[in-house]
Structures are given as C-alpha cells and as structure tokens.
Amino acid sequence: STRNWDNRQVIDFKYLSNNKTILQILHLLNIFASKDTNSILFPEWVEIVIWPQNSSQPPHNDVARNSTKYTSITYLNNNYKGGETFFTLDNSISKNNIGDTIMFDGIKYEHGVKPITKGTRYVLAVWYSDKINDFILNW
C-alpha cells in the first residue's frame, strides 16, 4: 500500500517491517550512520520513495524532529534516466548504482532531486535520530 506525496508515491515502514531483507539493510545502514557521525543513532523514519518519470524535488532542507541527525538514501534500481541527488553547497551531483547509499545531514545540507526523464526511480530513504524513544521499531 502506498500513499501519494507531492509528485511521488511512498511506501511507509509499517508495510516493510516484515521484510527480512529490508530489516537487514536497515541494520547495516544504521551501523554505518552511527560510525559516520561517531554517535549512536536510531532509524526514526523509513520509507521507499517511488519517483515516476517527470518527477523531481527542488532544493530543500529536510523538515524533521529536533532529534533528527542524519539522512541516508539507498538506490534500489538504475533503469531510469535523470533523478540524480544534488547538493547546493558545492554543486555536487550524486550518480549512483543499485545498492549505493549516500549519507548526509539533511537538515544542514540543502539538497534536491533532478527530474527523472525516463523510467521510475526507487530509493530507500531513512532518517536517523539520537533519541532511542524515536526508534522506529518501538512505534
């Protein structure tokens, strides 16, 4: 089951939480995020975002809780054109293959998604908190 959000669809974690592969990936991502930030983090929000052709996202900073400390985007497919994640601070563009993950402070660093010109882009988006009470598996 999906919900529409702006020009894309989202599959929330409650529909993914019984998938062993997703849980294993989430565990590994959490380890890397914690090491990268040198702190203990907990996934607070997880979703698969489905980006159809002609969708995009303008530059933005993530709107999250005060406890949100980090963001990761894992690319689940590569049979689309466009859809690169970009960062405005240094004009960098992230072109990724299946399974590649970028991790960053989404509140601090303005970022967006270039238009998808062909196909559909699928990503696993995770936001991390340093508060155990925000841990998604406790919801």
Side-chain angles (χ1 to χ4, degrees):
S1 180
T2 63
R3 65 178 166 83
N4 290 323
W5 185 63
D6 202 15
N7 57 4
R8 48 206 171 273
Q9 290 184 304
V10 174
I11 303 171
D12 289 327
F13 182 73
K14 63 185 172 186
Y15 300 108
L16 305 171
S17 61
N18 290 330
N19 185 305
K20 186 176 179 179
T21 302
I22 293 289
L23 293 176
Q24 289 172 334
I25 291 168
L26 190 57
H27 176 70
L28 291 173
L29 289 173
N30 196 73
I31 290 170
F32 286 117
S34 294
K35 283 183 180 180
D36 203 34
T37 60
N38 200 28
S39 60
I40 298 172
L41 296 178
F42 307 94
E44 68 174 1
W45 192 258
V46 179
E47 59 190 24
I48 291 179
V49 184
I50 303 165
W51 298 76
Q53 187 170 322
N54 299 320
S55 63
S56 63
Q57 190 170 35
H60 67 281
N61 296 85
D62 290 342
V63 177
R65 293 180 252 216
N66 290 336
S67 60
T68 302
K69 301 299 180 199
Y70 221 50
T71 303
S72 71
I73 304 293
T74 301
Y75 297 85
L76 303 177
N77 70 320
N78 64 358
N79 57 342
Y80 62 92
K81 301 286 185 204
E84 299 90 352
T85 302
F86 66 91
F87 295 87
T88 58
L89 180 66
D90 60 1
N91 292 320
S92 64
I93 295 176
S94 178
K95 295 182 180 180
N96 296 290
N97 295 310
I98 295 173
D100 285 353
T101 299
I102 56 173
M103 294 186 162
F104 57 98
D105 182 337
I107 295 171
K108 182 176 178 180
Y109 295 104
E110 188 177 60
H111 58 285
V113 177
K114 300 256 184 203
I116 288 84
T117 58
K118 182 179 179 185
T120 302
R121 174 188 189 245
Y122 295 86
V123 297
L124 175 67
V126 183
W127 291 268
Y128 303 88
S129 171
D130 62 354
K131 306 287 186 232
I132 193 161
N133 290 339
D134 295 335
F135 190 23
I136 194 167
L137 298 179
N138 288 337
W139 290 0

